[in-house]
């Protein structure tokens, strides 16, 4: 009996990037447990990944290439050899390229694994040779990162673990106890030591349950509240003028811009009373160790990037960047990416990134439905990996309509027969995290994680890197950069900034450009051309960012004409503790322990519709209609309803469709994000 114990890191699209110890016996994975020495996760995983062995060894795993035999979406396939499947992909992709041009091919990916080499790897270089369309933007992080960058020049935020030193922590649209669970102990400790914890969220989440104060705005209206906070900071002279004059551009203009944006102006727009806004502003302005922490939920609105732009301005105005426990903690992933800061890691495969990327048609990632159904020059070949867009993209009814097109050839690389894979013409089986080598660049903390494989991939599954090597070979591309080994790719990605051996030995290594207790903007040093924080858009004005941050009522939100027919705001948050996005919701060991899909309504909204707990209701707008059981809740304010997201299609019942069939796929104000949260629906009894 041969037992192997290796150090690894969770690959999921989750801020915690936990360290684990994976064990195999005679080549079979037997255990995945938290690595007690990991500085962030400290030996704990989560209710999803505690059952990772069951996912890896699950009987439904895809272990050979598959070729479609039934109609698209039926899930009927036959097994094929790698050679046969590769040959079919090459001949179809070549036919599409020859008939319609390379841009009729679209590579589409998400962050199923966030690994440095397994996320998108050498795919850029491969698709560049095909002259394909490219992807820009993202449903996750693009809008908030861009919003922050308009002020700081970069998405670099404060280390959230520094909230250990905070006197006030504002969790602004993030459900920490669910989505970022390993940060919570630090927040809870700060709270015990006297810090005030404030949650700003349209839903009273499990995180809000533990807060000292819960502020419940209407979804997508934070911009009004933030403009009012800035108004109060300036009107009450709670501004750190020394910091602002030394390190910010455009203060006078901003001050003039917000002069009428009083709390009384904002209150009816955001649904929070003026006194609450004023008190919040005053506490932000008088408590230097105030940390503002946001993640992704709040960016899922048209106004998401501007909301982040304004949040990023606040610690500049108050000077809280100078105080340990202050600042603005969004994603810290970017600290692993900067190469202009001494000791930074060059995350990414710069030399295998396509040189002609800028010259090819680029399509917004969240707009997949539109890309597949509305382009004048249609996509005819689609390659999907690391994602499940039929469940995860906004307006996914349009994604499904696109995938049903007979003149579209679709390839999917997957672990399981997902609701997306069912529409593929060819499926390639993908290796799982304990079966491949990688480095994880965390976005919730400052340690890069090593991932050593504990076993070979099961069956004929391969890591994404190997999939792209095989494709390159099948296309006859012999460029050496397309055939680098995984270790060579890792070395190329981290350069000589990281001690790979130390990372491999310990399972993690800290990003060296952010030492403990470091205050990144203590002395300014923003990443803008001037080195100053931009309170007016100097650098980004040319790319669609308004000179000053504006309150813009959203097309599908408060006050919009559509409210006549669809008067309720639909929110679709992550809620199940055992799902990670859409992953695990197909496994009974997870799904059977969670509530089935349902719609949550406030009692007032239910009563006017004659609905009571357990009734069945129709939830609809012009995009789609779903039938769901009703749950009455006091966690929402009247006018806001919620259908938690993550469930597989079949969990909703017999009809095809899931909650993202209802959501809004329009673009964000800038930053190429998505608008899930700006969705109006009507609910009626059946
Ligand atoms: N258990 C679990 N953990 C996860 C995930 C998971 O699926 N399950 N997914 C992972 C991923 S990919 C991500 S991106 C992160 C996301 O982490 P979070 O951003 O923390 O999670 P979300 O549920 O997307 O959104 C957080 C909160 O934002 C609120 N929100 C929505 N709109 C607004 C608004 O207009 N204003 C304000 N103030 N708040 C608003 C929502 O009500 C929600 O409670 O979680 C990661 N962790
Ligand atoms: N309504 C609503 N929709 C949302 C959100 C929401 O809050 N509400 N959140 C949005 C957010 S923040 C995100 S990040 C997205 C997430 O959406 P997705 O990225 O589509 O969802 P995931 O479940 O993270 O994973 C995607 C798939 O990648 C596969 N995968 C994992 N590892 C590998 C691998 O190594 N190789 C290959 N080939 N495949 C792999 C998994 O099996 C899984 O099926 O959803 C978005 N959609
Ligand atoms: S999903 Fe998140 S919390 Fe769970 S093990 Fe992975 S990184 Fe940790
Ligand atoms: Mo995400």
């Amino acid at each position: 009996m041969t037992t192997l114990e290796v150090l690894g890191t969770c690959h999921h699209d989750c801020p915690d990037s936990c360290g684990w110890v994976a064990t195999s016996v005679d080549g079979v994975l037997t255990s995945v447990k938290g690595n007690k020495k990991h500085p962030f996760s400290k030996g704990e995983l989560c209710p999803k990944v505690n059952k990772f062995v069951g996912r890896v060894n699950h009987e439904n795993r895809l272990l050979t290439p598959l070729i479609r035999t039934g109609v698209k979406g039926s899930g009927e396939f036959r097994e094929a050899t790698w050679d046969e499947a590769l040959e079919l992909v090459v001949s179809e992709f070549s036919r599409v390229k020859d008939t319609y041009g390379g841009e009729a091919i679209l590579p589409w990916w998400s962050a199923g694994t966030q690994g440095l080499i397994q996320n998108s790897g050498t795919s850029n270089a491969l698709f560049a040779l095909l002259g394909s369309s490219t992807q820009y933007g993202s449903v996750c992080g693009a809008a908030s990162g861009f919003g922050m960058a308009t002020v700081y020049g970069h998405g670099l935020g404060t280390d959230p673990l520094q909230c250990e030193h905070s006197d006030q922590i504002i969790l602004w649209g993030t459900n920490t106890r669910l989505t970022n669970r390993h940060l919570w102990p630090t927040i809870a400790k700060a709270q015990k030591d006297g810090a005030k914890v404030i949650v700003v969220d349209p839903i009273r989440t499990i995180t809000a349950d533990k807060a000292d104060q819960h502020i419940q705005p209407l979804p997508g209206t934070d911009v009004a509240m933030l403009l009012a906070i800035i108004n109060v900071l300036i009107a009450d002279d709670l501004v750190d003028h020394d910091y602002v004059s030394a390190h910010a551009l455009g203060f006078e203009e901003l001050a003039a811009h917000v002069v009428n944006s009083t709390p009384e102006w904002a209150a009816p727009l955001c649904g929070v009373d003026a006194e609450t806004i004023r008190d919040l502003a005053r506490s932000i302005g008088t408590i230097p160790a105030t940390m503002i922490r946001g993640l992704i939920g709040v960016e899922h609105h048209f106004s998401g990037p501007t909301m982040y732009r304004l949040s990023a301005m606040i610690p500049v105005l108050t000077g809280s960047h100078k105080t340990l426990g202050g600042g603005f903690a969004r994603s810290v992933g970017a600290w692993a990416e900067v190469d202009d800061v001494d000791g930074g890691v060059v995350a990414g495969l710069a030399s295998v990134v396509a040189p002609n990327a800028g010259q090819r048609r680029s399509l917004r990632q969240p707009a997949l439905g539109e890309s597949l159904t509305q382009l004048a020059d249609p996509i005819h070949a689609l390659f999907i990996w690391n994602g499940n867009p039929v469940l995860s993209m906004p307006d996914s009814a349009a994604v499904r309509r696109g995938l049903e097109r007979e003149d579209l050839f679709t390839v999917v690389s997957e672990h399981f027969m997902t609701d997306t894979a069912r529409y593929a013409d060819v499926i390639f089986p993908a290796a799982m995290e304990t079966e491949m080598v990688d480095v994880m660049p965390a976005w919730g903390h400052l340690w890069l994680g090593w991932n050593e494989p504990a076993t070979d991939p099961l069956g004929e599954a391969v890591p994404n890197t190997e999939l792209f090597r095989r494709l390159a070979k099948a296309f006859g591309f012999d460029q050496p950069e397309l055939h680098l080994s995984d270790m060579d790719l890792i070395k190329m990605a981290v350069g000589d900034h990281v001690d790979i051996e130390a990372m491999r030995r310990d399972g993690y290594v800290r990003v060296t450009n952010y030492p403990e207790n470091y205050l990144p903007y203590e002395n300014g040093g923003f990443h803008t051309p001037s080195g100053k924080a931009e309170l007016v858009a100097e650098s980004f004005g040319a790319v669609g960012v308004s000179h000053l941050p504006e309150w813009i009522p959203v097309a599908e939100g408060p006050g919009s004409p559509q409210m006549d027919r669809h008067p309720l705001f639909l929110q679709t948050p992550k809620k199940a503790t055992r799902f990670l996005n859409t992953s695990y919701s197909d496994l009974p060991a997870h799904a059977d322990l969670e509530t089935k899909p349902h719609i949550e309504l406030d009692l007032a909204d239910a009563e006017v519709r004659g609905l009571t707990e357990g009734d069945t209701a129709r939830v609809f707008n012009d995009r789609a209609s779903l039938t769901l059981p009703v749950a009455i809740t006091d966690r929402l304010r009247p006018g806001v309803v919620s259908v938690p997201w993550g469930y597989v299609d079949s969990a909703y019942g017999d009809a095809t469709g899931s909650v993202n069939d209802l959501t809004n796929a329009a673009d964000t104000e800038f930053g190429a994000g998505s608008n899930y949260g700006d969705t109006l629906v009507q609910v009626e009894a059946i």
Side-chain angles (χ1 to χ4, degrees), residues 103-122:
E103 287 180 350
I105 299 171
L106 178 67
W108 189 96
W109 70 100
S110 183
T113 164
Q114 334 192 59
L116 214 48
I117 67 167
Q118 302 297 350
N119 175 255
S120 52
T122 56

Side-chain angles (χ1 to χ4, degrees), residues 10 12 14 16-18 44-46 48-49 181-182 580:
C10 180
H12 281 305
C14 170
D16 292 8
S17 298
C18 299
E44 193 209 45
L45 296 174
C46 68
K48 300 143 276 184
V49 177
R181 58 185 284 130
H182 297 91
L580 190 283

Side-chain angles (χ1 to χ4, degrees), residues 13 139-140 296 443 574 581:
D13 191 355
V139 289
C140 189
I296 302 297
W443 48 281
K574 295 140 180 121
N581 299 329

Side-chain angles (χ1 to χ4, degrees), residues 11 13 54 70 82 93 115 172 180 259 360 365 399 405 553 590 638:
H11 58 299
D13 191 355
W82 267 92
F93 273 50
W172 203 304
N180 188 190
V259 80
R360 289 143 57 205
Q365 189 233 24
V399 176
R405 279 174 38 208
H590 296 250

Side-chain angles (χ1 to χ4, degrees), residues 440-463:
M440 272 326 124
W443 48 281
H445 59 71
L446 292 159
W447 289 273
L448 291 168
W450 181 260
N451 188 66
E452 184 77 18
T455 70
D456 288 333
L458 281 186
E460 295 175 29
V462 301

Side-chain angles (χ1 to χ4, degrees), residues 13-15 48 140 172-176 178-180 200-203 205 217-222 295-298 300-301 443 571 573-574 576-581 645:
D13 191 355
C14 170
K48 300 143 276 184
C140 189
W172 203 304
T174 176
N175 189 0
T176 313
L178 180 80
T179 59
N180 188 190
V200 185
D201 198 309
I203 301 176
T205 60
L218 288 165
T221 63
D222 302 68
L295 271 184
I296 302 297
V298 70
H300 286 157
H301 298 276
W443 48 281
Q571 300 302 295
K574 295 140 180 121
T577 54
R578 296 169 189 85
F579 304 165
L580 190 283
N581 299 329
W645 164 77

Side-chain angles (χ1 to χ4, degrees), residues 601-620:
L601 298 112
D602 180 78
L603 186 60
D605 291 321
E607 276 180 354
V608 295
R609 291 168 176 80
L611 289 166
T612 53
E613 180 85 21
D615 283 356
T616 306
R618 192 164 86 88
V619 185
F620 64 96

Side-chain angles (χ1 to χ4, degrees), residues 380-542:
H380 288 286
L382 174 66
F383 200 106
I384 297 176
W385 72 100
N386 277 349
N388 189 359
V390 164
L391 294 181
S392 60
M393 289 304 108
D395 191 9
S396 51
V399 176
R400 214 182 281 104
R401 280 198 303 278
L403 291 175
E404 279 165 1
R405 279 174 38 208
E406 284 304 329
D407 60 347
L408 177 72
F409 181 79
T410 303
V411 183
V412 174
S413 163
E414 250 304 345
H415 297 146
F416 289 99
M417 186 62 74
T418 60
D419 288 309
T420 302
R422 301 174 81 81
Y423 288 89
D425 293 280
V426 172
I427 301 177
F428 290 113
M432 286 197 188
E433 193 60 7
T434 46
E435 302 169 337
M436 58 195 182
V437 69
D438 210 345
V439 171
M440 272 326 124
W443 48 281
H445 59 71
L446 292 159
W447 289 273
L448 291 168
W450 181 260
N451 188 66
E452 184 77 18
T455 70
D456 288 333
L458 281 186
E460 295 175 29
V462 301
N464 296 337
T465 46
E466 176 62 13
L467 169 64
F468 291 118
R469 282 189 291 261
R470 290 186 185 185
L471 274 167
K473 183 159 174 254
F475 276 109
F477 299 144
D478 52 13
Q479 286 77 349
E481 67 269 23
L482 292 174
H483 298 282
L484 293 170
S485 71
D486 288 355
M487 272 313 288
D488 284 341
L489 286 169
I490 287 176
K491 283 182 196 147
M492 182 185 272
V494 303
D496 48 15
H497 298 294
V498 166
D499 184 342
I500 295 182
E501 278 321 305
M503 176 165 49
R504 199 169 187 170
R505 181 193 63 223
D506 300 334
Y508 53 85
V509 64
R510 191 176 162 107
V511 172
T512 51
N513 56 18
Y514 200 119
E516 214 158 308
N517 294 346
Y518 174 60
L519 298 176
Y521 305 118
E522 184 176 12
N523 303 305
F526 293 95
H527 295 257
T528 53
S530 61
K532 296 188 177 190
E534 295 189 3
L535 305 177
V536 290
E538 294 282 337
S539 309
F540 290 92

